Amino acid sequence: MKSGFGNTKGGSPTLNSRAKPLKRPTQARAIFTVEAIYEAFVRIWQRDGWSRLTTREVALETGVAIGTLYDYFPSKEALLSGYIRHRLDVLLAQMDQDVIQPTELDWQTRIKRLVCLTCNPDDARQPLFNHAVSLIEHQIAESRHHSRVYEELSQKWRQALAACSDLPTQPSASTIEAWVIMAWGGRRYCITAQPTAEQTAAWLSEMQTMICSRLSSISQDEARADEH
């Protein structure tokens, strides 16, 4: 019986090639088409569930030829993989737009926005970052994919902290990386544990308070060291 994975290398399974998108759109028309495919994909999944979702149905609902869809996505696993990458790109762009680029924000507001974007498992802008996806994640993600996401998030967090020009003292790179693990790892566990909305809100608030308090503490420690 085939497991959906290809040959193993060094003890680590590799995905079947059909679980990977064939290409990413670059021209405006192709980008529009693929985004329409993603929208239909989300609607069908939410309506019918993963087991009943087919690439043919996605093509029909999108209004594109099945061959056009197969130019990008040879299977529904490849479609899911492409969609997750697309939403991660959107998340990183939101961090740029809402956290890094604004010039009028004080550092506390900037950090709270950063934490919320990273942590919130109920963000309506990420409709399939949910428990259903976590159950089949092994079909679309390899270790290197997780490593890439971690590096990209760490880079955005470093940029966000660097944008805090009113923050007296910058945290170390290792501290920022630890926060990323804590924030993104917590979000992923929330998706698994499925806490109530109230519990999730309390966790988000605590994460914001904890990191802001830690940043204030770092600055105060640095100020006391300068005094001596």
Side-chain angles (χ1 to χ4, degrees), residues 47-80:
R47 184 184 69 217
D48 301 335
W50 175 256
S51 63
R52 296 176 61 188
L53 185 150
T54 67
T55 51
R56 181 171 295 279
E57 187 175 5
V58 172
L60 287 172
E61 182 143 338
T62 307
V64 302
I66 188 67
T68 299
L69 188 145
Y70 283 156
D71 284 342
Y72 296 94
F73 309 110
S75 68
K76 67 180 185 180
E77 290 81 11
L79 183 49
L80 175 59

PDB file of all heavy atoms in Angstrom, residues 47-80:
ATOM      1  N   ARG A  47     -17.602  23.551   2.945  1.00  0.00           N
ATOM      2  CA  ARG A  47     -18.965  23.055   2.706  1.00  0.00           C
ATOM      3  C   ARG A  47     -19.054  21.529   2.750  1.00  0.00           C
ATOM      4  O   ARG A  47     -19.966  20.967   3.356  1.00  0.00           O
ATOM      5  CB  ARG A  47     -19.438  23.553   1.336  1.00  0.00           C
ATOM      6  CG  ARG A  47     -20.877  23.186   0.984  1.00  0.00           C
ATOM      7  CD  ARG A  47     -21.201  23.644  -0.424  1.00  0.00           C
ATOM      8  NE  ARG A  47     -20.476  22.863  -1.434  1.00  0.00           N
ATOM      9  CZ  ARG A  47     -19.983  23.378  -2.569  1.00  0.00           C
ATOM     10  NH1 ARG A  47     -20.126  24.670  -2.840  1.00  0.00           N
ATOM     11  NH2 ARG A  47     -19.371  22.594  -3.432  1.00  0.00           N
ATOM     12  N   ASP A  48     -18.085  20.852   2.124  1.00  0.00           N
ATOM     13  CA  ASP A  48     -18.181  19.406   1.916  1.00  0.00           C
ATOM     14  C   ASP A  48     -17.166  18.578   2.689  1.00  0.00           C
ATOM     15  O   ASP A  48     -17.325  17.363   2.802  1.00  0.00           O
ATOM     16  CB  ASP A  48     -18.031  19.081   0.425  1.00  0.00           C
ATOM     17  CG  ASP A  48     -19.073  19.758  -0.438  1.00  0.00           C
ATOM     18  OD1 ASP A  48     -20.164  20.079   0.093  1.00  0.00           O
ATOM     19  OD2 ASP A  48     -18.810  19.971  -1.633  1.00  0.00           O
ATOM     20  N   GLY A  49     -16.100  19.216   3.201  1.00  0.00           N
ATOM     21  CA  GLY A  49     -15.063  18.471   3.900  1.00  0.00           C
ATOM     22  C   GLY A  49     -13.975  17.980   2.958  1.00  0.00           C
ATOM     23  O   GLY A  49     -14.154  17.919   1.740  1.00  0.00           O
ATOM     24  N   TRP A  50     -12.844  17.619   3.542  1.00  0.00           N
ATOM     25  CA  TRP A  50     -11.679  17.215   2.764  1.00  0.00           C
ATOM     26  C   TRP A  50     -11.933  15.938   1.956  1.00  0.00           C
ATOM     27  O   TRP A  50     -11.536  15.831   0.794  1.00  0.00           O
ATOM     28  CB  TRP A  50     -10.496  17.008   3.702  1.00  0.00           C
ATOM     29  CG  TRP A  50      -9.263  16.463   3.035  1.00  0.00           C
ATOM     30  CD1 TRP A  50      -8.785  15.187   3.102  1.00  0.00           C
ATOM     31  CD2 TRP A  50      -8.354  17.182   2.207  1.00  0.00           C
ATOM     32  NE1 TRP A  50      -7.626  15.071   2.363  1.00  0.00           N
ATOM     33  CE2 TRP A  50      -7.343  16.276   1.802  1.00  0.00           C
ATOM     34  CE3 TRP A  50      -8.295  18.499   1.761  1.00  0.00           C
ATOM     35  CZ2 TRP A  50      -6.275  16.649   0.977  1.00  0.00           C
ATOM     36  CZ3 TRP A  50      -7.236  18.878   0.935  1.00  0.00           C
ATOM     37  CH2 TRP A  50      -6.256  17.965   0.553  1.00  0.00           C
ATOM     38  N   SER A  51     -12.600  14.965   2.540  1.00  0.00           N
ATOM     39  CA  SER A  51     -12.764  13.668   1.877  1.00  0.00           C
ATOM     40  C   SER A  51     -13.587  13.767   0.601  1.00  0.00           C
ATOM     41  O   SER A  51     -13.398  12.975  -0.337  1.00  0.00           O
ATOM     42  CB  SER A  51     -13.396  12.658   2.840  1.00  0.00           C
ATOM     43  OG  SER A  51     -14.700  13.076   3.210  1.00  0.00           O
ATOM     44  N   ARG A  52     -14.483  14.732   0.532  1.00  0.00           N
ATOM     45  CA  ARG A  52     -15.345  14.874  -0.652  1.00  0.00           C
ATOM     46  C   ARG A  52     -14.840  15.918  -1.636  1.00  0.00           C
ATOM     47  O   ARG A  52     -15.425  16.105  -2.706  1.00  0.00           O
ATOM     48  CB  ARG A  52     -16.771  15.222  -0.203  1.00  0.00           C
ATOM     49  CG  ARG A  52     -17.437  14.126   0.627  1.00  0.00           C
ATOM     50  CD  ARG A  52     -18.801  14.566   1.125  1.00  0.00           C
ATOM     51  NE  ARG A  52     -19.715  14.863   0.032  1.00  0.00           N
ATOM     52  CZ  ARG A  52     -20.914  15.416   0.188  1.00  0.00           C
ATOM     53  NH1 ARG A  52     -21.326  15.742   1.409  1.00  0.00           N
ATOM     54  NH2 ARG A  52     -21.682  15.653  -0.853  1.00  0.00           N
ATOM     55  N   LEU A  53     -13.769  16.587  -1.292  1.00  0.00           N
ATOM     56  CA  LEU A  53     -13.214  17.618  -2.167  1.00  0.00           C
ATOM     57  C   LEU A  53     -12.414  16.968  -3.296  1.00  0.00           C
ATOM     58  O   LEU A  53     -11.617  16.061  -3.059  1.00  0.00           O
ATOM     59  CB  LEU A  53     -12.320  18.551  -1.357  1.00  0.00           C
ATOM     60  CG  LEU A  53     -11.733  19.775  -2.062  1.00  0.00           C
ATOM     61  CD1 LEU A  53     -11.556  20.901  -1.046  1.00  0.00           C
ATOM     62  CD2 LEU A  53     -10.393  19.469  -2.721  1.00  0.00           C
ATOM     63  N   THR A  54     -12.611  17.434  -4.515  1.00  0.00           N
ATOM     64  CA  THR A  54     -11.840  16.948  -5.657  1.00  0.00           C
ATOM     65  C   THR A  54     -11.342  18.123  -6.476  1.00  0.00           C
ATOM     66  O   THR A  54     -11.951  19.206  -6.477  1.00  0.00           O
ATOM     67  CB  THR A  54     -12.686  16.040  -6.572  1.00  0.00           C
ATOM     68  OG1 THR A  54     -13.725  16.826  -7.193  1.00  0.00           O
ATOM     69  CG2 THR A  54     -13.305  14.886  -5.801  1.00  0.00           C
ATOM     70  N   THR A  55     -10.241  17.910  -7.175  1.00  0.00           N
ATOM     71  CA  THR A  55      -9.708  18.978  -8.031  1.00  0.00           C
ATOM     72  C   THR A  55     -10.695  19.305  -9.151  1.00  0.00           C
ATOM     73  O   THR A  55     -10.815  20.468  -9.561  1.00  0.00           O
ATOM     74  CB  THR A  55      -8.355  18.562  -8.627  1.00  0.00           C
ATOM     75  OG1 THR A  55      -8.480  17.253  -9.232  1.00  0.00           O
ATOM     76  CG2 THR A  55      -7.278  18.515  -7.560  1.00  0.00           C
ATOM     77  N   ARG A  56     -11.395  18.296  -9.649  1.00  0.00           N
ATOM     78  CA  ARG A  56     -12.376  18.552 -10.719  1.00  0.00           C
ATOM     79  C   ARG A  56     -13.484  19.482 -10.229  1.00  0.00           C
ATOM     80  O   ARG A  56     -13.898  20.405 -10.945  1.00  0.00           O
ATOM     81  CB  ARG A  56     -12.952  17.232 -11.219  1.00  0.00           C
ATOM     82  CG  ARG A  56     -13.963  17.384 -12.365  1.00  0.00           C
ATOM     83  CD  ARG A  56     -14.337  16.040 -12.956  1.00  0.00           C
ATOM     84  NE  ARG A  56     -13.190  15.407 -13.591  1.00  0.00           N
ATOM     85  CZ  ARG A  56     -12.756  15.695 -14.821  1.00  0.00           C
ATOM     86  NH1 ARG A  56     -13.397  16.600 -15.548  1.00  0.00           N
ATOM     87  NH2 ARG A  56     -11.714  15.064 -15.312  1.00  0.00           N
ATOM     88  N   GLU A  57     -13.959  19.246  -9.010  1.00  0.00           N
ATOM     89  CA  GLU A  57     -15.011  20.107  -8.471  1.00  0.00           C
ATOM     90  C   GLU A  57     -14.496  21.528  -8.272  1.00  0.00           C
ATOM     91  O   GLU A  57     -15.211  22.497  -8.512  1.00  0.00           O
ATOM     92  CB  GLU A  57     -15.542  19.541  -7.153  1.00  0.00           C
ATOM     93  CG  GLU A  57     -16.755  20.290  -6.624  1.00  0.00           C
ATOM     94  CD  GLU A  57     -17.347  19.661  -5.382  1.00  0.00           C
ATOM     95  OE1 GLU A  57     -16.765  18.683  -4.866  1.00  0.00           O
ATOM     96  OE2 GLU A  57     -18.388  20.157  -4.920  1.00  0.00           O
ATOM     97  N   VAL A  58     -13.247  21.662  -7.836  1.00  0.00           N
ATOM     98  CA  VAL A  58     -12.656  22.995  -7.673  1.00  0.00           C
ATOM     99  C   VAL A  58     -12.587  23.711  -9.019  1.00  0.00           C
ATOM    100  O   VAL A  58     -12.919  24.893  -9.142  1.00  0.00           O
ATOM    101  CB  VAL A  58     -11.259  22.908  -7.036  1.00  0.00           C
ATOM    102  CG1 VAL A  58     -10.570  24.272  -7.044  1.00  0.00           C
ATOM    103  CG2 VAL A  58     -11.348  22.370  -5.608  1.00  0.00           C
ATOM    104  N   ALA A  59     -12.163  22.989 -10.043  1.00  0.00           N
ATOM    105  CA  ALA A  59     -12.089  23.581 -11.379  1.00  0.00           C
ATOM    106  C   ALA A  59     -13.464  24.020 -11.860  1.00  0.00           C
ATOM    107  O   ALA A  59     -13.630  25.127 -12.401  1.00  0.00           O
ATOM    108  CB  ALA A  59     -11.469  22.590 -12.358  1.00  0.00           C
ATOM    109  N   LEU A  60     -14.483  23.175 -11.669  1.00  0.00           N
ATOM    110  CA  LEU A  60     -15.840  23.504 -12.095  1.00  0.00           C
ATOM    111  C   LEU A  60     -16.362  24.742 -11.368  1.00  0.00           C
ATOM    112  O   LEU A  60     -16.966  25.627 -11.980  1.00  0.00           O
ATOM    113  CB  LEU A  60     -16.770  22.318 -11.850  1.00  0.00           C
ATOM    114  CG  LEU A  60     -16.603  21.116 -12.789  1.00  0.00           C
ATOM    115  CD1 LEU A  60     -17.456  19.945 -12.310  1.00  0.00           C
ATOM    116  CD2 LEU A  60     -16.974  21.492 -14.220  1.00  0.00           C
ATOM    117  N   GLU A  61     -16.124  24.798 -10.052  1.00  0.00           N
ATOM    118  CA  GLU A  61     -16.626  25.945  -9.284  1.00  0.00           C
ATOM    119  C   GLU A  61     -15.871  27.221  -9.628  1.00  0.00           C
ATOM    120  O   GLU A  61     -16.439  28.311  -9.581  1.00  0.00           O
ATOM    121  CB  GLU A  61     -16.532  25.653  -7.781  1.00  0.00           C
ATOM    122  CG  GLU A  61     -17.088  26.772  -6.929  1.00  0.00           C
ATOM    123  CD  GLU A  61     -17.821  26.267  -5.695  1.00  0.00           C
ATOM    124  OE1 GLU A  61     -18.270  25.102  -5.669  1.00  0.00           O
ATOM    125  OE2 GLU A  61     -17.954  27.060  -4.755  1.00  0.00           O
ATOM    126  N   THR A  62     -14.607  27.093  -9.968  1.00  0.00           N
ATOM    127  CA  THR A  62     -13.813  28.261 -10.341  1.00  0.00           C
ATOM    128  C   THR A  62     -14.174  28.738 -11.739  1.00  0.00           C
ATOM    129  O   THR A  62     -14.046  29.932 -12.050  1.00  0.00           O
ATOM    130  CB  THR A  62     -12.309  27.930 -10.290  1.00  0.00           C
ATOM    131  OG1 THR A  62     -11.995  27.379  -9.013  1.00  0.00           O
ATOM    132  CG2 THR A  62     -11.465  29.169 -10.511  1.00  0.00           C
ATOM    133  N   GLY A  63     -14.596  27.801 -12.594  1.00  0.00           N
ATOM    134  CA  GLY A  63     -14.876  28.141 -13.985  1.00  0.00           C
ATOM    135  C   GLY A  63     -13.650  28.072 -14.869  1.00  0.00           C
ATOM    136  O   GLY A  63     -13.588  28.768 -15.896  1.00  0.00           O
ATOM    137  N   VAL A  64     -12.681  27.245 -14.497  1.00  0.00           N
ATOM    138  CA  VAL A  64     -11.481  27.073 -15.322  1.00  0.00           C
ATOM    139  C   VAL A  64     -11.434  25.633 -15.811  1.00  0.00           C
ATOM    140  O   VAL A  64     -12.054  24.733 -15.230  1.00  0.00           O
ATOM    141  CB  VAL A  64     -10.191  27.400 -14.541  1.00  0.00           C
ATOM    142  CG1 VAL A  64     -10.223  28.824 -14.013  1.00  0.00           C
ATOM    143  CG2 VAL A  64      -9.970  26.409 -13.396  1.00  0.00           C
ATOM    144  N   ALA A  65     -10.704  25.419 -16.882  1.00  0.00           N
ATOM    145  CA  ALA A  65     -10.535  24.073 -17.415  1.00  0.00           C
ATOM    146  C   ALA A  65      -9.727  23.243 -16.428  1.00  0.00           C
ATOM    147  O   ALA A  65      -8.824  23.759 -15.767  1.00  0.00           O
ATOM    148  CB  ALA A  65      -9.831  24.125 -18.763  1.00  0.00           C
ATOM    149  N   ILE A  66     -10.062  21.956 -16.313  1.00  0.00           N
ATOM    150  CA  ILE A  66      -9.323  21.091 -15.401  1.00  0.00           C
ATOM    151  C   ILE A  66      -7.851  21.054 -15.771  1.00  0.00           C
ATOM    152  O   ILE A  66      -6.973  20.978 -14.908  1.00  0.00           O
ATOM    153  CB  ILE A  66      -9.931  19.663 -15.392  1.00  0.00           C
ATOM    154  CG1 ILE A  66      -9.286  18.808 -14.305  1.00  0.00           C
ATOM    155  CG2 ILE A  66      -9.813  19.016 -16.753  1.00  0.00           C
ATOM    156  CD1 ILE A  66      -9.592  19.245 -12.895  1.00  0.00           C
ATOM    157  N   GLY A  67      -7.544  21.164 -17.067  1.00  0.00           N
ATOM    158  CA  GLY A  67      -6.146  21.196 -17.492  1.00  0.00           C
ATOM    159  C   GLY A  67      -5.414  22.429 -16.981  1.00  0.00           C
ATOM    160  O   GLY A  67      -4.224  22.357 -16.652  1.00  0.00           O
ATOM    161  N   THR A  68      -6.129  23.545 -16.900  1.00  0.00           N
ATOM    162  CA  THR A  68      -5.517  24.769 -16.361  1.00  0.00           C
ATOM    163  C   THR A  68      -5.176  24.586 -14.897  1.00  0.00           C
ATOM    164  O   THR A  68      -4.098  24.981 -14.435  1.00  0.00           O
ATOM    165  CB  THR A  68      -6.479  25.960 -16.532  1.00  0.00           C
ATOM    166  OG1 THR A  68      -6.730  26.163 -17.923  1.00  0.00           O
ATOM    167  CG2 THR A  68      -5.882  27.227 -15.933  1.00  0.00           C
ATOM    168  N   LEU A  69      -6.098  23.978 -14.150  1.00  0.00           N
ATOM    169  CA  LEU A  69      -5.822  23.724 -12.734  1.00  0.00           C
ATOM    170  C   LEU A  69      -4.633  22.779 -12.580  1.00  0.00           C
ATOM    171  O   LEU A  69      -3.750  23.005 -11.746  1.00  0.00           O
ATOM    172  CB  LEU A  69      -7.059  23.152 -12.058  1.00  0.00           C
ATOM    173  CG  LEU A  69      -6.987  23.005 -10.529  1.00  0.00           C
ATOM    174  CD1 LEU A  69      -8.346  23.263  -9.901  1.00  0.00           C
ATOM    175  CD2 LEU A  69      -6.497  21.617 -10.123  1.00  0.00           C
ATOM    176  N   TYR A  70      -4.589  21.725 -13.435  1.00  0.00           N
ATOM    177  CA  TYR A  70      -3.501  20.757 -13.344  1.00  0.00           C
ATOM    178  C   TYR A  70      -2.152  21.361 -13.752  1.00  0.00           C
ATOM    179  O   TYR A  70      -1.110  20.801 -13.409  1.00  0.00           O
ATOM    180  CB  TYR A  70      -3.804  19.533 -14.208  1.00  0.00           C
ATOM    181  CG  TYR A  70      -4.805  18.584 -13.600  1.00  0.00           C
ATOM    182  CD1 TYR A  70      -5.550  17.722 -14.400  1.00  0.00           C
ATOM    183  CD2 TYR A  70      -5.031  18.550 -12.227  1.00  0.00           C
ATOM    184  CE1 TYR A  70      -6.472  16.845 -13.852  1.00  0.00           C
ATOM    185  CE2 TYR A  70      -5.956  17.680 -11.669  1.00  0.00           C
ATOM    186  CZ  TYR A  70      -6.670  16.840 -12.486  1.00  0.00           C
ATOM    187  OH  TYR A  70      -7.587  15.977 -11.932  1.00  0.00           O
ATOM    188  N   ASP A  71      -2.170  22.471 -14.473  1.00  0.00           N
ATOM    189  CA  ASP A  71      -0.907  23.157 -14.787  1.00  0.00           C
ATOM    190  C   ASP A  71      -0.192  23.593 -13.508  1.00  0.00           C
ATOM    191  O   ASP A  71       1.029  23.710 -13.484  1.00  0.00           O
ATOM    192  CB  ASP A  71      -1.165  24.390 -15.652  1.00  0.00           C
ATOM    193  CG  ASP A  71      -1.451  24.036 -17.106  1.00  0.00           C
ATOM    194  OD1 ASP A  71      -1.122  22.900 -17.512  1.00  0.00           O
ATOM    195  OD2 ASP A  71      -2.005  24.887 -17.818  1.00  0.00           O
ATOM    196  N   TYR A  72      -0.974  23.842 -12.469  1.00  0.00           N
ATOM    197  CA  TYR A  72      -0.429  24.305 -11.191  1.00  0.00           C
ATOM    198  C   TYR A  72      -0.493  23.226 -10.114  1.00  0.00           C
ATOM    199  O   TYR A  72       0.446  23.070  -9.328  1.00  0.00           O
ATOM    200  CB  TYR A  72      -1.203  25.540 -10.713  1.00  0.00           C
ATOM    201  CG  TYR A  72      -1.052  26.730 -11.618  1.00  0.00           C
ATOM    202  CD1 TYR A  72      -1.979  26.982 -12.623  1.00  0.00           C
ATOM    203  CD2 TYR A  72       0.027  27.601 -11.486  1.00  0.00           C
ATOM    204  CE1 TYR A  72      -1.849  28.078 -13.468  1.00  0.00           C
ATOM    205  CE2 TYR A  72       0.166  28.703 -12.320  1.00  0.00           C
ATOM    206  CZ  TYR A  72      -0.771  28.932 -13.311  1.00  0.00           C
ATOM    207  OH  TYR A  72      -0.622  30.011 -14.150  1.00  0.00           O
ATOM    208  N   PHE A  73      -1.615  22.498 -10.062  1.00  0.00           N
ATOM    209  CA  PHE A  73      -1.855  21.604  -8.937  1.00  0.00           C
ATOM    210  C   PHE A  73      -2.246  20.210  -9.444  1.00  0.00           C
ATOM    211  O   PHE A  73      -3.389  20.009  -9.882  1.00  0.00           O
ATOM    212  CB  PHE A  73      -2.974  22.155  -8.054  1.00  0.00           C
ATOM    213  CG  PHE A  73      -2.772  23.594  -7.664  1.00  0.00           C
ATOM    214  CD1 PHE A  73      -3.590  24.591  -8.196  1.00  0.00           C
ATOM    215  CD2 PHE A  73      -1.768  23.951  -6.780  1.00  0.00           C
ATOM    216  CE1 PHE A  73      -3.416  25.915  -7.845  1.00  0.00           C
ATOM    217  CE2 PHE A  73      -1.574  25.285  -6.429  1.00  0.00           C
ATOM    218  CZ  PHE A  73      -2.393  26.266  -6.964  1.00  0.00           C
ATOM    219  N   PRO A  74      -1.349  19.234  -9.385  1.00  0.00           N
ATOM    220  CA  PRO A  74      -1.646  17.893  -9.884  1.00  0.00           C
ATOM    221  C   PRO A  74      -2.538  17.070  -8.967  1.00  0.00           C
ATOM    222  O   PRO A  74      -2.963  15.975  -9.343  1.00  0.00           O
ATOM    223  CB  PRO A  74      -0.263  17.253 -10.010  1.00  0.00           C
ATOM    224  CG  PRO A  74       0.574  17.956  -8.986  1.00  0.00           C
ATOM    225  CD  PRO A  74       0.061  19.370  -8.970  1.00  0.00           C
ATOM    226  N   SER A  75      -2.841  17.561  -7.771  1.00  0.00           N
ATOM    227  CA  SER A  75      -3.674  16.831  -6.820  1.00  0.00           C
ATOM    228  C   SER A  75      -4.255  17.814  -5.817  1.00  0.00           C
ATOM    229  O   SER A  75      -3.822  18.971  -5.735  1.00  0.00           O
ATOM    230  CB  SER A  75      -2.850  15.771  -6.072  1.00  0.00           C
ATOM    231  OG  SER A  75      -1.908  16.410  -5.220  1.00  0.00           O
ATOM    232  N   LYS A  76      -5.211  17.343  -5.032  1.00  0.00           N
ATOM    233  CA  LYS A  76      -5.768  18.239  -4.017  1.00  0.00           C
ATOM    234  C   LYS A  76      -4.760  18.477  -2.900  1.00  0.00           C
ATOM    235  O   LYS A  76      -4.798  19.534  -2.240  1.00  0.00           O
ATOM    236  CB  LYS A  76      -7.088  17.708  -3.478  1.00  0.00           C
ATOM    237  CG  LYS A  76      -7.033  16.425  -2.656  1.00  0.00           C
ATOM    238  CD  LYS A  76      -8.447  16.047  -2.205  1.00  0.00           C
ATOM    239  CE  LYS A  76      -8.462  14.840  -1.288  1.00  0.00           C
ATOM    240  NZ  LYS A  76      -9.844  14.493  -0.854  1.00  0.00           N
ATOM    241  N   GLU A  77      -3.831  17.554  -2.677  1.00  0.00           N
ATOM    242  CA  GLU A  77      -2.770  17.787  -1.690  1.00  0.00           C
ATOM    243  C   GLU A  77      -1.852  18.911  -2.160  1.00  0.00           C
ATOM    244  O   GLU A  77      -1.432  19.757  -1.368  1.00  0.00           O
ATOM    245  CB  GLU A  77      -1.970  16.502  -1.470  1.00  0.00           C
ATOM    246  CG  GLU A  77      -2.724  15.407  -0.731  1.00  0.00           C
ATOM    247  CD  GLU A  77      -3.658  14.611  -1.609  1.00  0.00           C
ATOM    248  OE1 GLU A  77      -3.579  14.761  -2.857  1.00  0.00           O
ATOM    249  OE2 GLU A  77      -4.463  13.830  -1.062  1.00  0.00           O
ATOM    250  N   ALA A  78      -1.555  18.932  -3.460  1.00  0.00           N
ATOM    251  CA  ALA A  78      -0.739  20.016  -4.014  1.00  0.00           C
ATOM    252  C   ALA A  78      -1.477  21.348  -3.912  1.00  0.00           C
ATOM    253  O   ALA A  78      -0.872  22.394  -3.665  1.00  0.00           O
ATOM    254  CB  ALA A  78      -0.380  19.715  -5.463  1.00  0.00           C
ATOM    255  N   LEU A  79      -2.782  21.297  -4.105  1.00  0.00           N
ATOM    256  CA  LEU A  79      -3.601  22.509  -3.973  1.00  0.00           C
ATOM    257  C   LEU A  79      -3.566  23.027  -2.545  1.00  0.00           C
ATOM    258  O   LEU A  79      -3.414  24.238  -2.312  1.00  0.00           O
ATOM    259  CB  LEU A  79      -5.028  22.201  -4.408  1.00  0.00           C
ATOM    260  CG  LEU A  79      -6.056  23.335  -4.427  1.00  0.00           C
ATOM    261  CD1 LEU A  79      -5.524  24.560  -5.152  1.00  0.00           C
ATOM    262  CD2 LEU A  79      -7.343  22.850  -5.076  1.00  0.00           C
ATOM    263  N   LEU A  80      -3.672  22.137  -1.580  1.00  0.00           N
ATOM    264  CA  LEU A  80      -3.581  22.550  -0.186  1.00  0.00           C
ATOM    265  C   LEU A  80      -2.198  23.115   0.133  1.00  0.00           C
ATOM    266  O   LEU A  80      -2.077  24.143   0.802  1.00  0.00           O
ATOM    267  CB  LEU A  80      -3.888  21.369   0.730  1.00  0.00           C
ATOM    268  CG  LEU A  80      -3.721  21.627   2.228  1.00  0.00           C
ATOM    269  CD1 LEU A  80      -4.618  22.769   2.697  1.00  0.00           C
ATOM    270  CD2 LEU A  80      -4.009  20.359   3.028  1.00  0.00           C
TER     271      LEU A  80
END
